[in-house]
Amino acid sequence: MTIKFGTDGWRAVIAKDFTFDNLLKVAQAHADHLKGKNGKKVVVGYDTRFMSEEFAAAVAEVFSSNGFAVILSKGHCTTPALSLAARDFEADEGVMITASHNTYQYNGYKIKGGYGGPATPEIIKSVEGKIGNTSPKTGKTEWEEIDLNSHYLSVLKKYITPGVFNQRPEKVVHDPMHGATIGLLHRLLEDTLIDVVEINHFRDAFFGFKHPEPVEKNLPLLRGKTIAEEAVAGIANDGDGDRVGIVDEAGEFLSTQIVFALLLLHTIRNRKEDGAIAKTVSTTYLVDRIAKKEGRKLYKTPVGFKYIADLFLKEKIAFGGEESGGYGFGFHIPERDGLLSGLMILEMIHLHGKSLTELVEDLFSEFGTAYYKRLDLKVEGDQGRILVEKLKKEPLTELAGFKVKETDLTDGVKLIFENDGWVLFRASGTEPVLRIYVEMPEKSEVDMILEESKKLIGG
């Protein structure tokens, strides 16, 4: 089989393509890549998936047998913890055994740069080109085991505004979705007045037979528990801890777009972080309005956090993120961090002394309303790509009665309406799916645009 890395690593079904034989080939190719750069040291981490410990140990053995100094996580860790360790322990690169938010059947191999963020396209291309060229070396099992989560938490604790969580006793509900953030929010806040109520906080290689992805449809228990506990918020993290989902005190799921805007305001206004703002093309227009009012430069990229991370490495970025719930902070590492994002939402609540509902109302009052939905529409064969190409060649001037003022071709086709609302069409490169993203000033308008957009297929 041909092993190819996607937008965030190599992922495959366990025992079908994600086998020890294939894993060792990838690890050896990665070792050959690093030897070509005179690399000396790697750090390896893993999540709570089925056999992740064994897969990680096999990777560590390959690097050890190739003469590298190896640090292996002592116990499962989050992807941000692995990325932070790659930087702080001065590794040339890092490896995270995870399939992120994929279903339980999958596992994967993520490469992280020594700077503490996603591997560049150049690194990925170099590793891919070496897969299968050299027989994997094994037999040497010398490495140092370090508790990467403890190091990670010690760094996160330093970011918290002193005393902010010791003003009044309150509850927050944390749902690690059986993944790598199990127990971590509790450990972060154990010396404060915040009572962390945990759910789904035990390892389950099946993830409760759900996607370990913190989106609304996967969080009914978090929503109910947040209401029942009268908590100020519910915080969910995906399988490897680099994404976040937020539920307000009324049990309502906040869209990732609103969370982006809140975290952005908190970072630049409350924390006074200097620098520009970075967003993907599928991200809310509220960011544009905030950037304009605050006098911040705004970068727009294709979909994928790797583009945001690249900007963090090249420019001074205060805050950057994407529609899928992955956000990065200028005071941290160039990496998505779901646990830190949840912590910063909690800090914002306490600094303002307001509920999440009130904070969203303040956001809308200052920058206008914004409602969002995303539809992953299953299509026949190549229909999605064909529609996107057709829209590029024959741009629409209106949709559902809304006039198009601008067409953005950064990634797919984005139609921007006169009221700043928009719809983005993107075809999946790996499955027969057309992704339709819609944001409008009114909830009813979102559904109108979605319905008309679906009619374009085959039309």
Side-chain angles (χ1 to χ4, degrees), residues 73 76-78 81 146-154 180 184 187:
S73 178
H76 65 256
C77 68
T78 70
I146 295 178
D147 184 346
L148 302 188
N149 276 340
S150 289
H151 172 71
Y152 167 67
L153 294 179
S154 70
L184 297 191
R187 288 172 63 184

Side-chain angles (χ1 to χ4, degrees), residues 252-295:
E252 293 298 315
F253 180 80
L254 296 190
S255 87
T256 53
Q257 308 283 24
I258 299 304
V259 174
F260 187 120
L262 291 175
L263 286 172
L264 171 58
L265 285 174
H266 180 58
T267 302
I268 63 178
R269 285 184 175 176
N270 299 335
R271 300 185 65 90
K272 305 295 184 185
E273 186 70 19
D274 291 330
I277 302 163
K279 62 170 252 184
T280 61
V281 69
S282 59
T283 306
T284 175
Y285 53 70
L286 295 176
V287 173
D288 302 62
R289 295 175 182 178
I290 293 170
K292 183 177 180 180
K293 185 167 185 177
E294 296 294 321

Side-chain angles (χ1 to χ4, degrees), residues 415-426:
L415 307 178
I416 304 172
F417 306 115
E418 291 181 334
N419 62 359
D420 282 348
W422 53 272
V423 56
L424 171 65
F425 299 88
R426 291 180 65 245

Side-chain angles (χ1 to χ4, degrees), residues 238-369:
D238 67 335
D240 67 331
D242 61 4
R243 297 187 189 186
V244 72
I246 300 294
V247 169
D248 70 17
E249 77 286 351
E252 293 298 315
F253 180 80
L254 296 190
S255 87
T256 53
Q257 308 283 24
I258 299 304
V259 174
F260 187 120
L262 291 175
L263 286 172
L264 171 58
L265 285 174
H266 180 58
T267 302
I268 63 178
R269 285 184 175 176
N270 299 335
R271 300 185 65 90
K272 305 295 184 185
E273 186 70 19
D274 291 330
I277 302 163
K279 62 170 252 184
T280 61
V281 69
S282 59
T283 306
T284 175
Y285 53 70
L286 295 176
V287 173
D288 302 62
R289 295 175 182 178
I290 293 170
K292 183 177 180 180
K293 185 167 185 177
E294 296 294 321
R296 301 292 183 110
K297 185 173 182 179
L298 176 62
Y299 292 94
K300 300 179 184 180
T301 77
V303 174
F305 193 81
K306 62 182 179 181
Y307 300 107
I308 303 294
D310 189 53
L311 283 170
F312 271 105
L313 296 175
K314 295 176 179 177
E315 309 288 343
K316 173 60 177 172
I317 304 294
F319 183 80
E322 56 180 353
E323 166 270 341
S324 64
Y327 314 105
F329 301 82
F331 58 82
H332 191 37
I333 49 177
E335 177 69 281
R336 296 178 295 192
D337 195 321
L339 193 67
L340 177 58
S341 297
L343 187 69
M344 288 297 101
I345 285 290
L346 200 57
E347 183 178 86
M348 187 180 190
I349 292 170
H350 283 77
L351 283 176
H352 286 268
K354 294 184 176 183
S355 69
L356 272 173
T357 298
E358 291 170 325
L359 290 173
V360 173
E361 288 174 352
D362 290 347
L363 173 71
F364 284 175
S365 176
E366 185 173 0
F367 296 101
T369 55

